[in-house]
Amino acid sequence: MAMVDEPLYPIAVLIDELKNEDIQLRLNSIRRLSTIARALGEERTRKELIPFLSENNDDEDEVLLAMAEELGVFIPYVGGVEHAHVLLPPLETLSTVEETCVRDKAVESLCRIGAQMKENDIVDFFIPVVKRLASGEWFTARVSSCGLFHIAYPSATDPLKTELRTIYGQLCQDDMPMVRRAAASNLGKFAATVEQSHLKTEIMSIFDDLTQDDQDSVRLLAVEGCAALGKLLEPQDCVAHILPVIVNFSQDKSWRVRYMVANQLYELCEAVGPEPTRADLVPAYVRLLRDNEAEVRIAAAGKVTKFCRILSPQLAIQHILPCVKELSSDSSQHVRSALASVIMGMAPVLGKDATIAELLPIFLSLLKDEFPDVRLNIISKLDQVNQVIGIDLLSQSLLPAIVELAEDRHWRVRLAIIEYIPLLASQLGVGFFDDKLGALCMQWLEDKVFSIREAAANNLKRLAEEFGPEWAMQHIIPQVLEKINNPHYLYRMTILQAISLLAPVMGADITCQKLLPVVINSSKDRVPNIKFNVAKVLQSLVPILDQSVVDKTVKPCLVELSEDPDVDVRYYANQALQACDQIMMSS
Amino acid sequence: MNPTDSDDDRPAAAAAADSAAPQQPLEWRFAQVFGERAAGEDVQEVDIISAIEFDKSGDHLATGDRGGRVVLFERTDARDHANRSELERQDVPITRHPEFRYKTEFQSHEPEFDYLKSLEIEEKINKIKWCQSANNALFLLSTNDKTIKYWKVQEKKIKQVSVMTLDTSTVGNGATSRASTSTSVPLPNGGCSEKSDGLNGDLLFPPGGYPSLRLPVVTTSQDVNLAARCRRVYAHAHDYHINSISNNSDGETFISADDLRINLWNLEINSQSFNIVDVKPTNMEDLTEVITCAEFHPTHCNTLAYSSSKGSIRLIDLRQSALCDNHSKIFEEHEAPGARSFFTEIIASISDVKFSRDGRYLLSRDYMTLKLWDLNMDSGPVSTFQVHEHLRPRLCDLYENDSIFDKFECCLSGDGRHVATGSYGNMFRVFGSTTGSTDVTTLEASRNPMRRQMSNPNRPTRGTMTSMARGVRRGGENLGVDANGNSLDFSTKLLHLAWHPTENSIACAAANSLYMYYA
């Protein structure tokens, strides 16, 4: 056996580990395939490494996935574009494995390589790969082939082009629904490369077949094709061929197909132009907004803003707005929730008058919705409302909604509303906030759930940042410090946490005069957990405080704690003392 | 029966409905047995077969047992498909019956304990379903009470690394010595120490590379290794026991059903499933009916059927709604008024429901009967076959010893002309299902299936033919019972059986033994 020079030893190990029993080592070697290739040189990479990889493709999916990915960027290591074709065989095999993510990655890499290959190389090497895969015995190969046509087609000669179109047509009629699905979902990409003349004939007939497939799962992928094809066709062709299909789809028996239409419909509006939109697409969309199936209404409601943006305000007010009104009292909370998350976007489209007259009542009713998600979605978009109608109109309804959410029995809802408080504060302004919301913020500090108390402490810090230390000195600090006498140690701990968060915002003076004494006092607490948290807080305060204060007040307290009977208190006290020393030395 | 009369290659479309021509009754013969019990040998609980399933082609058979194992069998007599279909085309008598051999087995499920609910989860395989095969590998789903697993079984040629660049002495010791070498030298195991190993991107390699480096040489031996690998686990979606799983014809989804819910899964996604049927009442005290079995239509991806403990079969259309609380059709037979007894509801419970291969018919099994339903006729079954009528006087005993809750499976032949189901005493019955057929055979799962029947000839009784809608009742009243009716052994029951998809061949389980018959 050849002995390897010392500097080459690591790379020799890397190569050997391509076949190690440990998957992590194999994976590592594959990830560094480019290093191996450079060590071997371009010629040996082509003649040895690539064939080696082609033969050793029965590995774990994880390794195959990494190999598929690496090979996609391997052109420089095999000697440039003129040799790119040597990479096709291993990727061809990888695109036949049964694990979808490996196949997808292999197809992606094939496309990436194919896109760089020269035209005659495509004809000589790439197209044969596509044809082999498309006629593969197992469906996995045929599925993969569908994603390669758009790369192969532009470089093909005319007879080859005809053949490729025919093959694609066959794939769309494959026995296996998986293959038909792959063909349907890649049709848009392929169609974009096909000449206009064939587009209107062959591709459209393929598309028609797919739209009539008896498998729902195929038809709903054809819906996606509608928008893609629609953009490729001339408007009049789009109206003639695509429009009837999408209108049909919007009344499909299967709710999943209608759901897809609801999601895609707005994309088609531009392709068909304003008149057909008004005459056909708006009625179709209105039907979807009133669909029997809640899932369809959810999808449709979620697109209401996007759809309205394409329409003229009159059309939106005349046709869409009545539906929106209905949806705001829909029986499904998810529909209302979807509506609530987008409805604010309609305000700029409708203009101020229509918004106040029509949208505001809907908005207010959603704000009083019995489900917290709906209310939260409205509140989270508050900045958009504010721009249109101003806060005065809102505040009356807003406040009860916020208060109710703040006291919701699900802590996640309470958490969500706390996270919006700083946003609300900045929108509403100090005056409004002081009156109504200040008390709430304090109340959360004594919540039963830790996450809420934690968020409440954080919230106070953000409010202090928003309104400044002076305001905080008046409206936050006294109330917070008062709570340090709470009989329950967990609540006292929250206060300590709040202090450590507030201190940096408040600055050295206030920290020294107001906050520090409270912390020092707490070091006499009877609960060890409080004491070691005092140590932690003191450690965090040290950088803010003056050296003299640290020496006079903080250190003696920590020294005392470091002699505490409790081991944890001693530990954290010592940690804090060390930190003090380090800061001293560095300054 | 003369094999030339075999009608097994008639298209399934020519199924039951239209064939007025009288057909020869099937004559069953013993074909094979696996795991036959020697006289006096005790059956181990874990070895008892709990699921049987043929794959779509009929070339493979899988069984699951209470010990959580899955055993695969493969057909040996018809490996060459082209040849077989050619023979069939030439109308040459097929002289051989399907013959299977043991292929492999693997441990699919292990006993588990649910610590949250303090519940033991048995490893028993409740159902097996075959999936679409790909790249010469077999795929199947197996489930116990809680967890569904997706298996891939593939033959792999054994490969060995014969030459490495580095000292060969380490190769023999495998990974351990290699790992220790690599820790002594700072190597990029896991890529954490990239800077220190001298392999960073700045290192310049000579243009021709280093000739001293070599790739490992791998030799492929002729030995093949059958390996089963669990590809995905679909767990934590069922609060109650899973009673069935079924693949969709779209090749990408399947359902799993427990007592109260049916969930829809994508084969590739195990992190979420969609609830499509939920019969759980808000108050569990209002519970009167549970789901007993669910199956997808063989070709319509949007249709599925599920049966209930009250004896009804509901057909649902997935296109109508995301949550299919409303059925599109219901098949049930109303008991004649006055005939109700304490047992009426118990024996009405459907233990199994199967679609015919063409998807036109549904076969259901309740405790007393087999019923064949036409999907186009929801007023009543097309035919009712009496399986356990002779047990009616003994329902009280059966209730006492819990036998009344036994869940017998049923199956249809590929052409839909026959139906079969199991019974006690390791017996099973095969009925001709075509109109006017009086073909009834009772067989015992043993090497001599007709033994009982010889000693006790079965006289099928013709039912009244007056009303098609009422269906046809037939079948003997004296299945496998001696004159005094006392010889029934309720502990030997034949619950699981499967019909070959294209030929008249039945596989059935008697305790730990798998018996196969052909006609």
Coordinates of all heavy atoms in Angstrom, one line a residue, chain A residues 403-469:
Chain A
V403 N -58.3 45.4 26.4 CA -58.4 44.9 27.8 C -58.9 43.5 27.8 O -58.4 42.7 28.6 CB -59.4 45.9 28.5 CG1 -59.7 45.3 29.9 CG2 -58.8 47.3 28.6
E404 N -59.8 43.2 26.9 CA -60.3 41.8 27.0 C -59.3 40.8 26.6 O -59.1 39.7 27.2 CB -61.5 41.7 26.0 CG -62.6 40.7 26.5 CD -63.8 40.8 25.5 OE1 -64.4 41.9 25.5 OE2 -64.0 39.7 24.9
L405 N -58.5 41.1 25.6 CA -57.4 40.2 25.2 C -56.3 40.1 26.3 O -55.8 39.0 26.5 CB -56.7 40.7 23.9 CG -57.5 40.5 22.6 CD1 -56.9 41.3 21.5 CD2 -57.6 39.1 22.2
A406 N -56.1 41.2 27.0 CA -55.1 41.2 28.0 C -55.5 40.3 29.2 O -54.7 39.8 29.9 CB -54.9 42.6 28.6
E407 N -56.8 40.0 29.2 CA -57.3 39.1 30.3 C -57.8 37.8 29.8 O -58.4 37.1 30.5 CB -58.4 39.8 31.1 CG -57.8 41.0 32.0 CD -58.9 42.0 32.4 OE1 -60.0 41.8 32.0 OE2 -58.5 42.9 33.1
D408 N -57.5 37.5 28.6 CA -57.9 36.2 28.0 C -57.4 35.1 28.8 O -56.3 35.2 29.4 CB -57.4 36.1 26.6 CG -58.1 35.1 25.8 OD1 -57.8 33.9 25.9 OD2 -59.0 35.4 25.0
R409 N -58.2 34.0 28.8 CA -57.7 32.9 29.7 C -56.6 32.1 29.1 O -55.9 31.3 29.7 CB -58.9 32.0 30.1 CG -59.5 31.3 29.0 CD -60.9 30.7 29.5 NE -61.4 30.0 28.3 CZ -61.2 28.8 28.0 NH1 -60.4 28.1 28.7 NH2 -61.7 28.3 26.9
H410 N -56.4 32.2 27.7 CA -55.3 31.5 27.1 C -54.0 32.4 27.2 O -54.0 33.5 26.7 CB -55.6 31.2 25.7 CG -56.7 30.2 25.5 ND1 -56.6 28.9 25.9 CD2 -57.9 30.4 25.0 CE1 -57.7 28.3 25.7 NE2 -58.6 29.2 25.2
W411 N -53.0 31.9 27.8 CA -51.8 32.7 28.0 C -51.1 33.1 26.7 O -50.5 34.1 26.6 CB -50.8 32.1 29.0 CG -50.2 30.8 28.5 CD1 -50.6 29.5 28.7 CD2 -48.9 30.7 27.8 NE1 -49.7 28.7 28.1 CE2 -48.7 29.4 27.6 CE3 -48.0 31.7 27.3 CZ2 -47.6 28.9 26.8 CZ3 -46.9 31.2 26.6 CH2 -46.7 29.9 26.4
R412 N -51.3 32.3 25.7 CA -50.6 32.6 24.4 C -51.3 33.9 23.8 O -50.6 34.7 23.2 CB -50.7 31.5 23.4 CG -49.8 30.4 23.7 CD -50.0 29.2 22.8 NE -49.5 28.0 23.4 CZ -48.2 27.6 23.4 NH1 -47.3 28.3 22.8 NH2 -47.9 26.5 24.0
V413 N -52.6 34.0 24.1 CA -53.3 35.2 23.6 C -52.7 36.4 24.4 O -52.4 37.5 23.8 CB -54.8 35.1 23.8 CG1 -55.5 36.4 23.4 CG2 -55.3 33.9 22.9
R414 N -52.6 36.3 25.7 CA -52.1 37.4 26.5 C -50.7 37.7 26.0 O -50.4 38.9 25.9 CB -52.1 37.0 28.0 CG -53.4 36.7 28.5 CD -53.5 36.8 30.1 NE -52.6 35.8 30.8 CZ -53.0 34.6 31.1 NH1 -54.2 34.1 30.7 NH2 -52.2 33.8 31.7
L415 N -49.9 36.7 25.7 CA -48.5 36.9 25.3 C -48.5 37.7 24.0 O -47.8 38.7 23.8 CB -47.8 35.6 25.1 CG -46.4 35.6 24.8 CD1 -45.6 36.3 25.9 CD2 -45.8 34.2 24.5
A416 N -49.4 37.3 23.1 CA -49.5 38.0 21.8 C -49.8 39.5 21.9 O -49.2 40.3 21.3 CB -50.5 37.3 20.9
I417 N -50.8 39.8 22.8 CA -51.2 41.2 22.9 C -50.1 42.0 23.6 O -49.8 43.1 23.2 CB -52.5 41.3 23.7 CG1 -53.0 42.8 23.6 CG2 -52.5 40.9 25.1 CD1 -53.5 43.1 22.2
I418 N -49.3 41.4 24.5 CA -48.2 42.1 25.2 C -47.2 42.5 24.1 O -46.7 43.6 24.2 CB -47.5 41.2 26.2 CG1 -48.5 40.9 27.4 CG2 -46.3 41.9 26.8 CD1 -47.9 40.1 28.5
E419 N -47.0 41.6 23.2 CA -46.0 41.9 22.2 C -46.4 43.1 21.3 O -45.6 43.7 20.6 CB -45.6 40.7 21.4 CG -44.5 39.9 22.1 CD -44.5 38.4 21.8 OE1 -45.1 38.0 20.8 OE2 -43.8 37.7 22.5
Y420 N -47.7 43.4 21.2 CA -48.2 44.5 20.4 C -48.2 45.8 21.2 O -48.4 46.9 20.6 CB -49.5 44.2 19.8 CG -49.5 43.2 18.7 CD1 -50.2 42.0 18.8 CD2 -48.6 43.4 17.6 CE1 -50.2 41.1 17.8 CE2 -48.6 42.4 16.6 CZ -49.3 41.3 16.7 OH -49.3 40.3 15.7
I421 N -48.0 45.7 22.5 CA -48.2 46.9 23.3 C -47.2 48.0 22.9 O -47.7 49.2 22.7 CB -48.1 46.6 24.8 CG1 -49.3 45.8 25.3 CG2 -47.9 47.8 25.7 CD1 -50.6 46.6 25.4
P422 N -45.9 47.8 22.7 CA -45.1 48.9 22.3 C -45.5 49.5 21.0 O -45.5 50.7 20.8 CB -43.7 48.2 22.1 CG -43.8 47.0 23.0 CD -45.2 46.5 22.9
L423 N -46.0 48.7 20.0 CA -46.6 49.2 18.8 C -47.8 50.1 19.1 O -47.9 51.3 18.5 CB -47.0 48.1 17.8 CG -47.8 48.5 16.6 CD1 -46.8 49.1 15.6 CD2 -48.5 47.3 16.0
L424 N -48.7 49.6 19.9 CA -49.8 50.4 20.3 C -49.4 51.7 20.9 O -49.9 52.8 20.6 CB -50.7 49.6 21.2 CG -51.5 48.5 20.6 CD1 -52.2 47.6 21.7 CD2 -52.6 49.1 19.7
A425 N -48.5 51.6 21.8 CA -48.0 52.8 22.5 C -47.5 53.8 21.6 O -47.9 55.0 21.7 CB -46.9 52.4 23.5
S426 N -46.7 53.4 20.6 CA -46.2 54.4 19.7 C -47.3 55.0 18.8 O -47.2 56.2 18.4 CB -45.1 53.8 18.8 OG -45.7 52.9 17.9
Q427 N -48.3 54.2 18.5 CA -49.4 54.7 17.7 C -50.3 55.6 18.5 O -50.8 56.6 18.0 CB -50.2 53.5 17.1 CG -49.5 52.6 16.2 CD -49.3 53.2 14.8 OE1 -50.1 54.0 14.3 NE2 -48.1 53.0 14.2
L428 N -50.6 55.2 19.7 CA -51.6 55.9 20.5 C -51.1 57.2 21.2 O -51.8 58.1 21.5 CB -52.2 55.0 21.5 CG -52.9 53.7 21.0 CD1 -53.3 52.8 22.1 CD2 -54.2 54.1 20.2
G429 N -49.8 57.1 21.5 CA -49.2 58.3 22.1 C -49.3 58.2 23.6 O -50.1 57.4 24.2
V430 N -48.5 59.0 24.3 CA -48.3 58.9 25.7 C -49.6 59.1 26.5 O -50.0 58.3 27.4 CB -47.3 60.0 26.2 CG1 -47.2 59.9 27.8 CG2 -45.9 59.6 25.7
G431 N -50.4 60.1 26.1 CA -51.6 60.5 26.8 C -52.6 59.4 26.9 O -53.0 59.0 28.0
F432 N -52.9 58.8 25.8 CA -53.8 57.7 25.8 C -53.3 56.6 26.6 O -54.0 55.9 27.3 CB -54.1 57.3 24.3 CG -55.1 56.3 24.1 CD1 -56.4 56.6 24.1 CD2 -54.7 55.0 24.0 CE1 -57.4 55.6 24.0 CE2 -55.7 54.0 23.8 CZ -57.0 54.3 23.8
F433 N -52.0 56.3 26.4 CA -51.4 55.1 27.0 C -51.5 55.2 28.6 O -51.9 54.3 29.2 CB -50.0 55.0 26.6 CG -49.4 53.7 27.1 CD1 -49.5 52.6 26.3 CD2 -48.7 53.7 28.3 CE1 -49.0 51.4 26.8 CE2 -48.1 52.5 28.7 CZ -48.3 51.4 27.9
D434 N -51.2 56.4 29.1 CA -51.2 56.6 30.6 C -52.5 56.2 31.2 O -52.6 55.5 32.1 CB -50.8 58.0 30.9 CG -49.4 58.3 30.7 OD1 -48.7 57.4 30.5 OD2 -49.0 59.5 30.8
D435 N -53.6 56.7 30.5 CA -54.9 56.6 31.1 C -55.3 55.1 31.2 O -55.8 54.6 32.2 CB -55.9 57.3 30.3 CG -55.6 58.8 30.3 OD1 -54.8 59.2 31.2 OD2 -56.2 59.5 29.4
K436 N -55.1 54.5 30.0 CA -55.8 53.2 29.9 C -54.9 52.0 30.1 O -55.3 51.0 30.6 CB -56.5 53.1 28.5 CG -56.9 54.4 28.0 CD -58.3 54.7 28.5 CE -58.7 56.1 28.0 NZ -60.0 56.5 28.1
L437 N -53.7 52.0 29.5 CA -53.0 50.8 29.4 C -51.9 50.6 30.4 O -51.5 49.5 30.7 CB -52.3 50.7 28.0 CG -53.3 50.7 26.8 CD1 -52.5 50.6 25.5 CD2 -54.2 49.5 26.9
G438 N -51.5 51.7 31.1 CA -50.5 51.6 32.1 C -50.8 50.5 33.1 O -49.9 49.7 33.5
A439 N -52.0 50.6 33.7 CA -52.4 49.6 34.7 C -52.3 48.2 34.2 O -51.8 47.3 34.9 CB -53.8 49.9 35.2
L440 N -52.6 48.0 32.9 CA -52.6 46.6 32.4 C -51.1 46.1 32.4 O -50.9 44.9 32.8 CB -53.0 46.6 30.9 CG -54.5 46.4 30.7 CD1 -54.8 46.5 29.2 CD2 -55.0 45.1 31.3
C441 N -50.2 47.0 32.0 CA -48.8 46.6 31.9 C -48.3 46.1 33.3 O -47.5 45.2 33.4 CB -48.0 47.7 31.4 SG -48.3 48.1 29.7
M442 N -48.8 46.8 34.4 CA -48.4 46.4 35.7 C -49.0 45.1 36.1 O -48.4 44.2 36.7 CB -48.8 47.5 36.7 CG -48.0 48.8 36.5 SD -46.2 48.4 36.7 CE -45.6 49.6 35.5
Q443 N -50.3 44.9 35.7 CA -51.0 43.7 36.1 C -50.3 42.5 35.5 O -50.3 41.4 36.2 CB -52.4 43.9 35.5 CG -53.4 42.9 35.8 CD -54.7 43.1 35.0 OE1 -55.1 44.3 34.9 NE2 -55.3 42.1 34.5
W444 N -49.8 42.6 34.4 CA -49.1 41.4 33.8 C -47.9 40.9 34.6 O -47.5 39.8 34.5 CB -48.7 41.7 32.3 CG -49.8 41.7 31.3 CD1 -50.8 40.8 31.3 CD2 -50.0 42.6 30.3 NE1 -51.6 41.1 30.3 CE2 -51.2 42.2 29.6 CE3 -49.3 43.7 29.8 CZ2 -51.7 42.8 28.5 CZ3 -49.8 44.4 28.7 CH2 -51.0 43.9 28.0
L445 N -47.3 41.9 35.3 CA -46.1 41.4 36.1 C -46.5 40.4 37.1 O -45.7 39.7 37.7 CB -45.5 42.7 36.8 CG -44.7 43.6 36.0 CD1 -44.3 44.8 36.8 CD2 -43.4 42.9 35.5
E446 N -47.8 40.3 37.4 CA -48.3 39.4 38.4 C -49.1 38.3 37.8 O -50.0 37.7 38.5 CB -49.0 40.1 39.6 CG -48.1 40.9 40.4 CD -48.7 41.9 41.4 OE1 -49.9 42.1 41.2 OE2 -48.1 42.3 42.3
D447 N -48.9 38.0 36.6 CA -49.6 36.9 35.9 C -49.2 35.6 36.5 O -48.1 35.4 37.1 CB -49.3 37.0 34.4 CG -50.3 36.2 33.6 OD1 -50.2 35.0 33.5 OD2 -51.2 36.9 33.0
K448 N -50.1 34.6 36.3 CA -49.8 33.3 36.9 C -48.8 32.5 36.0 O -48.1 31.6 36.4 CB -51.1 32.5 36.9 CG -52.0 32.8 38.1 CD -53.0 31.7 38.2 CE -53.9 31.9 39.5 NZ -54.6 33.2 39.4
V449 N -48.6 33.0 34.8 CA -47.7 32.2 33.8 C -46.4 32.9 33.7 O -46.4 34.1 33.4 CB -48.4 32.1 32.5 CG1 -47.5 31.4 31.5 CG2 -49.7 31.3 32.6
F450 N -45.3 32.2 33.8 CA -44.0 32.8 33.8 C -43.8 33.5 32.5 O -43.3 34.7 32.5 CB -42.9 31.7 34.0 CG -41.6 32.2 33.7 CD1 -40.9 33.0 34.7 CD2 -40.9 32.0 32.5 CE1 -39.7 33.5 34.4 CE2 -39.6 32.5 32.3 CZ -39.0 33.3 33.2
S451 N -44.1 32.9 31.4 CA -43.8 33.6 30.1 C -44.5 35.0 30.0 O -43.9 35.9 29.3 CB -44.4 32.7 28.9 OG -43.6 31.5 28.9
I452 N -45.6 35.1 30.6 CA -46.3 36.4 30.6 C -45.6 37.4 31.5 O -45.3 38.5 31.0 CB -47.8 36.3 31.1 CG1 -48.6 35.3 30.2 CG2 -48.5 37.6 31.2 CD1 -48.7 35.7 28.8
R453 N -45.1 36.9 32.6 CA -44.4 37.8 33.5 C -43.1 38.3 32.8 O -42.7 39.4 32.9 CB -44.1 37.1 34.8 CG -45.3 36.7 35.6 CD -45.0 36.4 37.1 NE -44.0 35.3 37.2 CZ -44.4 34.0 37.3 NH1 -45.7 33.7 37.3 NH2 -43.5 33.1 37.5
E454 N -42.4 37.3 32.2 CA -41.2 37.6 31.5 C -41.4 38.6 30.4 O -40.7 39.6 30.2 CB -40.6 36.3 30.9 CG -39.2 36.4 30.3 CD -38.8 35.2 29.6 OE1 -39.7 34.5 29.0 OE2 -37.6 34.8 29.6
A455 N -42.5 38.4 29.6 CA -42.8 39.3 28.5 C -43.2 40.7 29.1 O -42.9 41.7 28.5 CB -44.0 38.8 27.7
A456 N -43.9 40.7 30.2 CA -44.3 42.0 30.8 C -43.1 42.8 31.2 O -43.0 44.0 31.0 CB -45.1 41.7 32.1
A457 N -42.0 42.1 31.8 CA -40.8 42.8 32.1 C -40.2 43.4 30.9 O -39.7 44.6 30.9 CB -39.9 41.9 32.8
N458 N -40.1 42.6 29.9 CA -39.5 43.1 28.6 C -40.3 44.3 28.0 O -39.7 45.2 27.5 CB -39.6 42.0 27.6 CG -38.2 41.5 27.3 OD1 -37.3 42.3 27.1 ND2 -38.0 40.2 27.2
N459 N -41.6 44.2 28.2 CA -42.5 45.2 27.7 C -42.2 46.5 28.3 O -42.1 47.6 27.7 CB -43.9 44.8 27.9 CG -44.9 45.8 27.5 OD1 -44.8 46.4 26.4 ND2 -45.9 46.0 28.3
L460 N -42.0 46.5 29.7 CA -41.7 47.7 30.4 C -40.4 48.4 29.9 O -40.4 49.6 29.7 CB -41.5 47.4 31.9 CG -42.8 46.9 32.6 CD1 -42.5 46.7 34.1 CD2 -43.9 48.0 32.5
K461 N -39.4 47.5 29.6 CA -38.2 48.1 29.0 C -38.5 48.8 27.7 O -38.0 49.9 27.5 CB -37.2 46.9 28.9 CG -35.9 47.3 28.2 CD -35.1 46.1 27.8 CE -34.5 46.3 26.5 NZ -34.0 45.1 25.8
R462 N -39.3 48.1 26.9 CA -39.5 48.7 25.5 C -40.3 50.0 25.7 O -40.1 50.9 24.9 CB -40.2 47.7 24.6 CG -39.2 46.6 24.2 CD -39.9 45.5 23.5 NE -40.4 45.8 22.2 CZ -41.2 45.0 21.5 NH1 -41.4 43.8 21.9 NH2 -41.7 45.4 20.3
L463 N -41.2 50.0 26.6 CA -42.0 51.3 26.9 C -41.1 52.4 27.3 O -41.2 53.5 26.9 CB -43.1 51.0 27.9 CG -44.3 50.2 27.4 CD1 -45.3 49.9 28.6 CD2 -45.0 50.9 26.3
A464 N -40.2 52.0 28.2 CA -39.2 53.0 28.7 C -38.4 53.6 27.6 O -38.1 54.8 27.5 CB -38.3 52.4 29.8
E465 N -38.0 52.7 26.7 CA -37.3 53.2 25.5 C -38.1 54.1 24.6 O -37.6 55.1 24.1 CB -36.8 52.0 24.7 CG -35.6 51.2 25.3 CD -35.4 49.9 24.6 OE1 -36.3 49.5 23.8 OE2 -34.4 49.2 24.9
E466 N -39.4 53.7 24.5 CA -40.3 54.5 23.6 C -40.5 55.9 24.2 O -40.5 56.9 23.5 CB -41.6 53.7 23.5 CG -42.7 54.4 22.7 CD -42.4 54.3 21.2 OE1 -41.8 53.3 20.7 OE2 -42.7 55.3 20.4
F467 N -40.9 55.9 25.5 CA -41.3 57.2 26.0 C -40.2 58.0 26.8 O -40.4 59.1 27.3 CB -42.5 57.0 27.0 CG -43.8 56.6 26.2 CD1 -44.6 55.6 26.8 CD2 -44.1 57.1 25.0 CE1 -45.7 55.2 26.1 CE2 -45.2 56.7 24.3 CZ -46.0 55.7 24.8
G468 N -39.1 57.3 27.0 CA -38.0 58.0 27.7 C -37.9 57.8 29.2 O -39.0 57.5 29.8
P469 N -36.7 58.0 29.8 CA -36.5 57.7 31.2 C -37.4 58.6 32.1 O -37.9 58.1 33.1 CB -35.1 58.0 31.5 CG -34.4 58.1 30.1 CD -35.5 58.4 29.1

